[in-house]
Amino acid sequence: MKKSILLLFTFLITVVSFAQEKQKRDLKLNKDTNLIDAVYYHENGTVSQTGSFNADGKLQGQWLSFNTEGEKIVSANYANGTNVGKWIHWIEGKKKVVNYDNNVASL
């Protein structure tokens, strides 16, 4: 049950964070990595997310999510749009770690 709730939470964070069409963002080509670095902002101006996209527009590398107070709430890793490696969620001040292998989560 805990795994299901944590996976659902991960999915919702990802969907909600990237589905906001009116969210302010800055995009910049990183010539060293050939990735597009992105910074998204909350309505109050604080950073909501940071990360990179590859040339195909897929999530790549580390993405960080922050709440409206600027506190880190998720550290996620992607490879060509696929969830990989260690993801860390801070829920009510407690650190929860999820590991992804072949896009499958394990606690």
Side-chain angles (χ1 to χ4, degrees):
M1 180 69 173
K2 278 187 174 183
K3 284 184 183 181
S4 297
I5 291 172
L6 189 55
L7 291 176
L8 178 61
F9 179 78
T10 300
F11 175 76
L12 290 175
I13 286 287
T14 303
V15 169
V16 169
S17 297
F18 295 107
Q20 299 176 2
E21 294 178 27
K22 295 180 182 180
Q23 188 175 29
K24 183 182 178 320
R25 67 180 182 189
D26 292 325
L27 302 174
K28 182 179 178 183
L29 176 62
N30 184 326
K31 293 180 182 178
D32 294 332
T33 62
N34 204 32
L35 296 173
I36 299 167
D37 292 335
V39 179
Y40 290 84
Y41 299 90
H42 289 288
E43 287 184 18
N44 69 0
T46 61
V47 173
S48 169
Q49 292 189 336
T50 62
S52 300
F53 294 97
N54 64 19
D56 295 326
K58 295 182 179 179
L59 302 173
Q60 183 66 35
Q62 184 180 46
W63 277 78
L64 301 174
S65 296
F66 303 88
N67 64 20
T68 55
E69 287 78 41
E71 298 167 328
K72 190 179 344 177
I73 55 174
V74 178
S75 173
N77 294 288
Y78 294 90
N80 201 30
T82 301
N83 302 358
V84 296
K86 184 190 299 187
W87 284 40
I88 303 171
H89 300 263
W90 287 269
I91 303 169
E92 296 179 2
K94 295 181 182 176
K95 182 177 171 180
K96 307 290 183 186
V97 177
V98 178
N99 290 298
Y100 282 91
D101 186 24
N102 293 322
N103 213 27
V104 176
S106 63
L107 299 175

